[in-house]
Amino acid sequence: MPSKQYRKLGCLDVNPTGGCAFEVRAETEEEVMRLVADHAKHAHKMDNPAPEMVKKIKGAMKSVSVTV
Ligand SMILES: [Zn+2]
């Protein structure tokens, strides 16, 4: 069965004590960052993630293979 590599990130990966179960999965890191930024803006009132936050997010990102 063919599978695809996806990038995955959950709010809990970045902030384990935050209690937010939001999770995002996309084909590219850019897309994940875009979705996460959107979520952070609406759910966490974070308008522009600070460079340290972006670094943290990228570090917490995981690769998963998804069967297509
Ligand atoms: Zn969240």
Side-chain angles (χ1 to χ4, degrees):
M1 239 189 273
S3 72
K4 234 177 183 176
Q5 283 295 113
Y6 269 65
R7 308 290 284 158
K8 175 179 164 269
L9 181 87
C11 246
L12 289 176
D13 295 329
V14 181
N15 183 13
T17 55
C20 175
F22 173 83
E23 230 180 53
V24 68
R25 224 188 262 175
E27 281 185 59
T28 62
E29 192 170 290
E30 289 72 32
E31 182 69 359
V32 171
M33 289 309 290
R34 197 180 65 75
L35 294 167
V36 165
D38 203 51
H39 165 77
K41 194 171 169 177
H42 291 108
H44 302 290
K45 311 265 173 260
M46 232 186 266
D47 255 330
N48 281 304
E52 313 87 80
M53 186 51 92
V54 173
K55 223 170 145 185
K56 208 173 163 185
I57 292 169
K58 289 191 174 174
M61 225 179 266
K62 296 182 181 81
S63 290
V64 286
S65 37
V66 177
T67 310
V68 285

